[in-house]
């Protein structure tokens, strides 16, 4: 194995309800790698090559959560369609406000991206270089 081949970043984000968080990401086709309730609530999730980890804490208030993470993908439009359809199927509508919520893809100066905010108030910017 070459140096650097196994290096990656895995964000660990908080949420007030670990069960709801895991179910939300499962809706988006994330796979549960691990789910632990004690001694500390913790979950690890994976979608394609992206891993997200979560810890449960009742102190986290979604509307006050300022945690953000940028996920770079190869086809932002395809990911947005997939996540939007999954959320519409799960919630009966496309949630554009509250928690969770998803935006449409936008063209910005350096990338094309959309925003996904999960049930715990964590905001994921999902994009690709323009």
């Amino acid at each position: 194995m070459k140096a650097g081949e196994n290096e990656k970043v895995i964000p660990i984000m908080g949420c007030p309800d670990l069960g709801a968080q895991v179910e939300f990401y499962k809706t988006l086709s994330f796979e549960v790698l691990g789910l632990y309730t004690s001694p500390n609530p913790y979950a690890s999730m994976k979608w394609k090559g992206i891993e997200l980890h979560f810890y449960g804490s009742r102190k986290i208030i979604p509307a006050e959560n300022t945690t953000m993470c940028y996920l770079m993908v190869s086809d932002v439009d395809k990911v947005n369609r997939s996540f939007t359809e999954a959320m519409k199927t799960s919630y009966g509508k496309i949630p554009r406000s509250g928690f969770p919520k998803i935006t449409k893809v936008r063209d910005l100066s350096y990338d094309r991206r959309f925003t996904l905010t999960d049930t715990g108030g964590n905001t994921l910017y999902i994009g690709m270089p323009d």
Side-chain angles (χ1 to χ4, degrees):
M1 180 179 313
K2 294 180 187 176
E5 279 186 0
N6 244 1
E7 295 172 0
K8 61 182 172 178
V9 173
I10 300 173
I12 302 172
M13 300 177 278
C15 63
D17 183 341
L18 195 59
Q21 192 81 336
V22 167
E23 288 306 312
F24 171 72
Y25 281 97
K26 282 172 58 177
T27 297
L28 301 178
S29 297
F30 276 72
E31 167 191 2
V32 178
L33 298 177
L35 179 57
Y36 313 95
T37 55
S38 66
N40 300 304
Y42 193 88
S44 54
M45 312 286 294
K46 184 175 183 178
W47 176 77
K48 299 189 179 188
I50 295 171
E51 271 189 55
L52 301 176
H53 290 205
F54 301 96
Y55 66 92
S57 172
R58 290 186 206 130
K59 294 179 181 180
I60 295 171
I61 300 166
E64 297 174 6
N65 190 345
T66 59
T67 303
M68 295 177 269
C69 181
Y70 187 93
L71 306 179
M72 190 173 294
V73 298
S74 59
D75 188 340
V76 70
D77 296 291
K78 183 177 179 180
V79 174
N80 183 266
R81 273 191 308 276
S82 173
F83 286 4
T84 299
E85 288 171 14
M87 292 175 76
K88 184 176 182 181
T89 298
S90 182
Y91 298 102
K93 64 178 186 169
I94 301 169
R96 299 289 187 198
S97 62
F99 303 95
K101 64 184 171 187
I102 191 168
T103 67
K104 296 177 181 180
V105 176
R106 298 180 307 272
D107 289 308
L108 301 175
S109 298
Y110 297 99
D111 69 356
R112 288 177 47 74
R113 75 170 76 159
F114 69 95
T115 304
L116 174 73
T117 303
D118 64 27
T119 59
N122 299 293
T123 299
L124 305 180
Y125 297 98
I126 303 170
M128 59 186 274
D130 196 18

